């Protein structure tokens, strides 16, 4: 009976890891999609402003840094809010899912260290992804923007 309980616990543990991995992948896909749309619209709407900034002496790297700083506060608020909600929300979600398959007592909670690591990873991912999407600023030429008007 002890071996049966250990094998059952190992099976449910692996199911929980798979579920956590699926949730992480879906979260990253949503972040990628939302950031892409947000940065694309931001860069398109500020194209002329970026050209003017370049013409008065700002470098492309300074404008990219400014774009990252524009996105970062909103991203940090959403990351912190999501992590705080997931602290209790994931436990309830897993409890409901396990109740459906016959496990009625689920007492595990998410380790705070894992949430902190996830928050750091998501913040770094947001910064790097914003940086990569903002590299198109380097292609903006003030001369071309003023000649097209």
């Amino acid at each position: 009976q002890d071996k049966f309980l250990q094998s059952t616990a190992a099976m449910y543990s692996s199911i929980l890891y798979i579920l956590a991995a699926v949730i992480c992948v879906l979260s990253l896909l949503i972040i990628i999609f939302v950031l892409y749309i947000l940065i694309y619209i931001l860069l398109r709407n500020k194209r002329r402003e970026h050209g003017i900034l370049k013409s008065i002496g700002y470098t492309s790297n300074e404008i990219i840094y400014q774009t990252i700083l524009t996105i970062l506060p909103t991203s940090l608020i959403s990351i912190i809010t999501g992590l705080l909600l997931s602290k209790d929300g994931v436990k309830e979600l897993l409890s409901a899912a396990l109740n459906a398959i016959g496990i009625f007592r689920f007492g595990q909670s998410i380790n705070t260290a894992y949430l902190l690591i996830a928050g750091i990873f998501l913040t770094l991912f947001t910064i790097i992804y914003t940086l990569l999407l903002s590299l198109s600023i380097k292609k903006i030429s003030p001369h071309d923007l003023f000649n097209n008007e």
Side-chain angles (χ1 to χ4, degrees):
Q1 184 180 9
D2 192 38
K3 288 183 180 182
F4 175 74
L5 288 176
Q6 287 178 349
S7 66
T8 305
M11 181 181 71
Y12 289 126
S13 179
S14 65
I15 289 172
L16 292 178
Y17 284 121
I18 292 170
L19 183 61
V22 168
I23 290 172
C24 287
V25 167
L26 288 175
S27 296
L28 279 177
L29 290 175
I30 290 170
I31 290 170
I32 287 170
F33 180 69
V34 170
L35 274 176
Y36 177 79
I37 291 173
L38 183 67
I39 293 169
Y40 176 79
I41 291 171
L42 178 76
L43 293 179
R44 192 185 74 203
N45 290 342
K46 290 192 170 197
R47 185 171 176 82
R48 183 175 173 173
E49 180 182 327
H50 291 156
I52 292 170
L53 288 174
K54 277 187 161 187
S55 69
I56 62 173
Y58 282 89
T59 65
S60 295
N61 290 337
E62 290 172 332
I63 299 170
I64 290 171
Y65 181 69
Q66 185 179 27
T67 304
I68 292 171
L69 289 179
T70 301
I71 298 293
L72 200 57
T74 308
S75 297
L76 285 175
I77 290 170
S78 62
I79 289 169
I80 291 169
T81 304
L83 291 175
L84 290 176
L85 290 175
S86 70
K87 178 78 172 158
D88 293 324
V90 170
K91 182 179 178 182
E92 295 300 321
L93 176 69
L94 289 176
S95 179
L98 292 175
N99 281 343
I101 59 173
I103 299 174
F104 296 106
R105 290 189 181 168
F106 180 71
Q108 290 184 339
S109 63
I110 298 174
N111 190 346
T112 306
Y114 291 141
L115 289 177
L116 185 61
I117 291 169
I120 292 169
F121 172 75
L122 288 172
T123 303
L124 291 175
F125 178 78
T126 301
I127 291 170
I128 292 169
Y129 190 64
T130 304
L131 173 78
L132 292 175
L133 290 176
S134 299
L135 288 177
S136 65
I137 290 174
K138 291 187 176 199
K139 296 177 185 174
I140 296 175
S141 168
H143 183 265
D144 290 341
L145 286 175
F146 291 122
N147 284 341
N148 288 336
E149 291 184 1

